[in-house]
């Protein structure tokens, strides 16, 4: 083999050299297919590249090129013109792909055209329409809550004074109500009025008559106590009935506060009139427990209780999921009501026990003081006297704790026992609405059957009348269905709101109760720590 002779080149080296040039040379040398037409001269830019890329290239860069190609600014046009002039000065033998490489994606994002591209409002409108076209119960509740938060006004209601008017069996109690609010529905920001207990019952009757059929949970007014008011009327001294009057005053105040917390009830004309009308309200005649209207109400409630047992909503395909929710919620309400009543009885027993303990502690303090007075030993006599003083302080603690047991916890349970009944009334109103709807459907079916008989008997004069009745009852059926659908939606919204308020009320009252309990226990420990040195000093 000669030294100067080079070995023959391998085939793969030629292929590699060819592959390096094939990236662009094949595009130039490859003949166009018959189906494709070469680009016209008008479609080429100054550097010879086509204005419209191929379909494959389009798909790769369409994500970023679509927005910038639709919106052009004046500065972009100037840049394109300048680029065309610069490209014209380039060497004619150089490839356009080599002379103008494609910009990186980072430059695409940082370009002025990309930065100045406005948001397309059509996509935003489409999103909003999608939310409205397919509403859910959750979205409805959120929108209502947003409206409630936007239209929430401050309102502060207090009953600061109660006064007995008249003597004997004709006597009655009046309550001084102070209402401060920023709600523009009220004529004045501050109102002071005097109201009787029957006025509160009349207000609740008006609110319940208007709003319960719509599925609104109306807070109940305190119950009328014939025995308590008899004591107030017959008692010549206010101290004999002060406890009953204070409990009723606190209950009436809580009733007004709960009613004012409802966004629909607070703007009711009757509620506003109750809080701001000067002078006496029209006398409510149906609020007496022994009146004819009261007896009729009692029989009416008994009849409705039988309807609750016998009537049930059919679980059709359209309302099966809805009815399942209501059945489950109704069971929860019944169970919660039962446990509330048990807890209420337990807390009342605890409060009564603390009152008895306070009385027994007072008796023990007096006995210890009397023993200290007759004791001849000086240190022991002083210790017994200190023990009596300590027990007197502890008596006050037991009394205060008994008041906290009653007003903070027992009254809360009593209020929610009544509120559970208001929830049951709303559920029963839904059953009544369903019954009216189904009765209308039954009547409509009978009217159609009657029309068919008239047509078979060829009684044309009665057919026209039957058709008019069918049209009327079809409207009633449609109205009944709409009313049932509305009351179902309203009850679900009301239950969501009620659950939030219930959790908040229980949380606040339990925290308040624990704070009072801990404060009293700290005082109790302090009292005994103060007495301990006196006991140790006995020699």
């Amino acid at each position: 083999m000669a030294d100067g002779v080079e070995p023959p080149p391998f085939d793969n080296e030629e292929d590699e050299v060819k592959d390096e040039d094939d990236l662009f040379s094949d595009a130039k040398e490859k003949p166009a297919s018959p189906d494709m037409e070469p680009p016209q001269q008008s479609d080429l830019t100054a550097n010879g590249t086509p204005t419209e890329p191929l379909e494959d290239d389009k798909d790769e860069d369409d994500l970023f090129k679509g927005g910038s190609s639709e919106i052009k600014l004046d500065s972009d046009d100037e840049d394109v013109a300048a680029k065309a002039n610069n490209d014209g000065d380039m060497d004619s033998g150089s490839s356009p792909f080599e002379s103008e490489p494609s910009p990186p994606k980072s430059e695409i994002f940082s370009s002025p055209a990309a930065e100045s591209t406005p948001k397309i409002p059509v996509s935003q409108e489409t999103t909003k329409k999608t939310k409205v076209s397919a509403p859910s119960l959750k979205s409805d509740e959120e929108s209502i809550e947003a409206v409630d938060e936007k239209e929430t006004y401050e309102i502060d209601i207090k009953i600061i004074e109660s006064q007995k008017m008249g003597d004997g069996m004709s006597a009655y109690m009046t309550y001084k109500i102070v209402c401060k609010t920023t709600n523009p529905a009220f004529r004045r920001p501050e109102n002071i009025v005097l109201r009787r207990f029957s006025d509160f019952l009349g207000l609740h009757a008006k609110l319940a008559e208007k709003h319960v059929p719509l599925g609104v949970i109306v807070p109940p007014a305190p119950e009328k106590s014939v025995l308590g008011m008899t004591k107030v009327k017959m008692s010549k001294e206010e101290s004999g009935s002060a406890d009953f009057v204070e409990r009723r005053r606190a209950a009436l105040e809580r009733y007004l506060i709960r009613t004012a917390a409802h966004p629909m009830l607070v703007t009711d004309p009757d509620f506003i009139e109750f809080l701001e009308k000067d002078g006496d309200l029209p006398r409510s005649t149906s609020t007496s427990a022994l009146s004819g209207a009261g007896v009729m109400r009692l029989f009416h409630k008994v009849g409705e209780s039988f309807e609750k047992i016998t009537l049930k909503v059919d679980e059709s395909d359209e309302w099966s999921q809805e009815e399942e929710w209501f059945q489950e919620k109704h069971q929860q309400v019944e169970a919660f009501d039962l446990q509330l009543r048990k807890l209420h009885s337990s807390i009342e027993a605890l409060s009564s026990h603390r009152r008895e303990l306070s009385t027994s502690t007072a008796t023990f303090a007096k006995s210890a003081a009397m023993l200290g007075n007759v004791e001849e030993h000086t240190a022991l006599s002083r210790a017994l006297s200190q023990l009596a003083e300590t027990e007197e302080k502890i008596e006050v603690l037991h009394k205060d704790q008994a008041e906290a047991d009653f007003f903070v916890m027992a009254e809360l349970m009593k209020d929610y026992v009544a509120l559970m009944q208001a929830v049951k009334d709303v559920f029963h109103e839904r059953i009544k609405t369903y019954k009216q709807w189904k009765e209308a459907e039954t009547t409509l079916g009978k009217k159609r059957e009657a029309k068919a008989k008239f047509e078979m008997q060829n009684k044309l004069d009665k057919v026209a009348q039957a058709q008019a009745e069918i049209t009327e009852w079809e409207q009633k059926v449609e109205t009944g269905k709409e009313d049932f659908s509305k009351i179902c939606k309203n009850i679900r919204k009301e239950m969501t709101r009620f659950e939030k308020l219930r959790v908040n009320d229980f949380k606040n009252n339990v925290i308040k109760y624990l704070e009072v309990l801990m404060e009293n226990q700290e005082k109790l420990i302090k009292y005994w720590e103060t007495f301990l040195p006196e006991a140790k000093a006995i020699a």
Side-chain angles (χ1 to χ4, degrees), residues 164-172 229-230 232-235:
K164 181 179 178 181
M165 306 295 290
D167 296 322
M169 294 304 295
S170 61
Y172 60 91
M229 277 307 299
T230 302
V232 172
K233 292 178 179 180
M234 299 304 296
S235 176

Side-chain angles (χ1 to χ4, degrees), residues 203 206-207 210 267-275 281:
L203 171 65
K206 293 177 182 178
L207 295 178
K210 287 190 291 185
T267 56
D268 188 273
D270 291 323
F271 184 71
I272 295 176
E273 181 187 28
F274 180 87
L275 292 177
L281 293 175

Side-chain angles (χ1 to χ4, degrees), residues 9 54 75 125 209 314 394 405 515 521 531:
L54 296 177
S75 58
E125 293 178 359
E209 183 180 0
D314 296 334
I394 294 174
D405 294 339
E515 289 176 349
Q521 293 298 321
F531 171 72

Side-chain angles (χ1 to χ4, degrees), residues 324-341:
E324 181 180 354
W325 183 91
F326 276 97
Q327 290 293 338
E328 180 182 355
K329 189 62 65 175
H330 187 266
Q331 294 176 0
Q332 293 177 0
V333 169
E334 291 289 348
F336 187 70
D337 182 30
L338 178 62
Q339 298 304 322
L340 272 178
R341 294 178 185 275

Side-chain angles (χ1 to χ4, degrees), residues 297-353:
R297 270 200 316 273
L298 180 61
F299 282 106
H300 183 63
K301 288 183 179 180
V302 172
E304 288 183 350
S305 63
F306 282 107
E307 285 185 0
K308 294 176 186 178
I309 299 174
T310 57
L311 188 61
K312 187 178 178 181
V313 176
D314 296 334
E315 298 182 2
S316 60
D317 295 338
E318 182 180 1
W319 300 99
S320 59
Q321 186 176 0
E322 190 84 8
E323 182 60 23
E324 181 180 354
W325 183 91
F326 276 97
Q327 290 293 338
E328 180 182 355
K329 189 62 65 175
H330 187 266
Q331 294 176 0
Q332 293 177 0
V333 169
E334 291 289 348
F336 187 70
D337 182 30
L338 178 62
Q339 298 304 322
L340 272 178
R341 294 178 185 275
K342 292 181 179 180
L343 182 57
H344 177 246
S345 300
S346 301
I347 295 178
E348 280 195 332
L350 176 62
S351 177
S352 177
H353 171 70

Side-chain angles (χ1 to χ4, degrees), residues 12-112:
N12 58 354
E13 290 182 359
E14 294 178 357
D15 295 336
E16 291 176 1
V17 174
K18 186 177 181 180
D19 291 340
E20 294 177 358
D21 297 333
D22 281 346
L23 180 61
F24 304 111
S25 61
D26 288 348
K28 298 177 182 179
E29 296 174 2
K30 186 176 180 180
S33 61
D35 298 336
M36 297 177 59
E37 296 180 5
Q40 300 297 328
Q41 187 67 24
S42 60
D43 296 332
L44 299 178
T45 58
N47 54 6
T49 59
T51 57
E52 293 291 331
L54 296 177
E55 194 66 29
D56 295 337
D57 297 334
K58 248 179 156 181
D59 294 337
E60 294 179 0
D61 297 334
D62 188 57
L63 178 62
F64 303 105
K65 291 182 178 179
S68 59
S69 62
E70 292 179 1
I71 302 173
K72 293 184 179 182
L73 304 177
D74 295 340
S75 58
D76 296 337
D77 297 337
E78 295 176 359
D79 293 341
V80 172
K83 187 183 292 184
N85 295 333
N86 294 334
D87 292 340
D89 298 336
M90 295 176 62
D91 187 10
S92 59
S94 61
S95 173
F97 295 93
E98 297 176 355
S99 62
E100 187 179 356
S102 61
K105 293 181 178 180
S106 60
E107 294 181 6
I108 295 175
F109 283 104
S110 61
S111 62

